[in-house]
Amino acid sequence: NLGWQRVKALLQRNAKDLGTQGFDVDYGWGLLDLNRFAVHNLWFSENPLSGSGESGIAFEKAVAVSNDSVLDLNLISITASNSRITAWLDKNNLSAFEETILRVSVDSNNYIGFLNGLITLNFTGSPGASFDVSVSVSFDDTNAPATISDINANWQNFDVNVFLICSDNGGSGCALTQYRVDVNALNEIQQKLK
C-alpha cells in the first residue's frame, strides 16, 4: 500500500527526461516509462556520496535506498573498492517498492586528503543485479597533536629524565616531539650556575 507521495516520487524519478533537464513547463517531469518498473531498479537519495571530515574521526552517512521495481531484491554482498570504506543495509531483502537505508562509514585514522572509492551492492534475482555508489570524502587535520611530559613543573635539585608522549587521536600522527626550557627559566638557570 503506497501513499500518494510515494507514488508521485516513483513516477517523477523514473520518468524519461525530455526537453530541459529536470522539470520544465513543456514536458513536466518527462515521459512516463512503465518499463523501468519491470527491471531491477535501485534508487539512492545520494549518489555520488561526498563530504568532508576531520582526520581521526570516522565519516558516516545514511542514504535512503528504494527498490523502484516490481521485482524483489535479495542482497548477496556489499563490496568496497577501498578498505577504509564499510557499508551495510538496514534491510537486506527488499520487496517491490520497499525502502531501506544504506549506512556508510569511512575510516580516517591517520589519513589526510581525498579518499575515493566505489561501493557495489550485489543482489540475486532473475537476472541478478548490481548497483554502484561512488564515494568521495576529503579529510583535514585541524587539531594539533598534544605532547605531555612526566616532569614535575617545580625546580629540580637532582637529575631528571623527561619522557615525552605525543598523541594525535588518530589524526595525521606525530612526526616530531620536542622539549624546550622557557627562556626566562633558562636565564634563571644560567644565573644560578654562575
Side-chain angles (χ1 to χ4, degrees), residues 80-150:
S81 64
N82 189 310
S83 62
R84 290 183 175 269
I85 300 172
T86 306
W88 64 96
L89 289 174
D90 282 358
K91 183 174 170 103
N92 291 337
N93 301 319
L94 297 175
S95 299
F97 304 114
E98 193 171 9
E99 296 177 321
T100 190
I101 300 293
L102 171 67
R103 302 195 185 274
V104 178
S105 179
V106 181
D107 173 22
S108 65
N109 222 10
N110 298 317
Y111 190 88
I112 295 176
F114 279 98
L115 189 141
N116 298 304
L118 192 67
I119 299 168
T120 302
L121 293 85
N122 297 299
F123 293 89
T124 61
S126 180
S130 66
F131 303 92
D132 293 330
V133 177
S134 297
V135 177
S136 180
V137 183
S138 171
F139 292 104
D140 293 319
D141 188 7
T142 58
N143 294 322
T147 301
I148 59 171
S149 73
D150 65 341

Side-chain angles (χ1 to χ4, degrees), residues 68-89:
D68 283 7
S69 168
V70 295
L71 305 172
D72 293 345
L73 289 170
N74 300 309
L75 184 70
I76 301 171
S77 65
I78 298 177
T79 57
S81 64
N82 189 310
S83 62
R84 290 183 175 269
I85 300 172
T86 306
W88 64 96
L89 289 174

Side-chain angles (χ1 to χ4, degrees), residues 162-183:
V162 178
F163 295 97
L164 302 176
I165 301 168
C166 180
S167 173
D168 195 25
N169 294 327
S172 58
C174 299
L176 177 67
T177 300
Q178 296 179 328
Y179 186 83
R180 75 175 174 87
V181 176
D182 182 274
V183 173

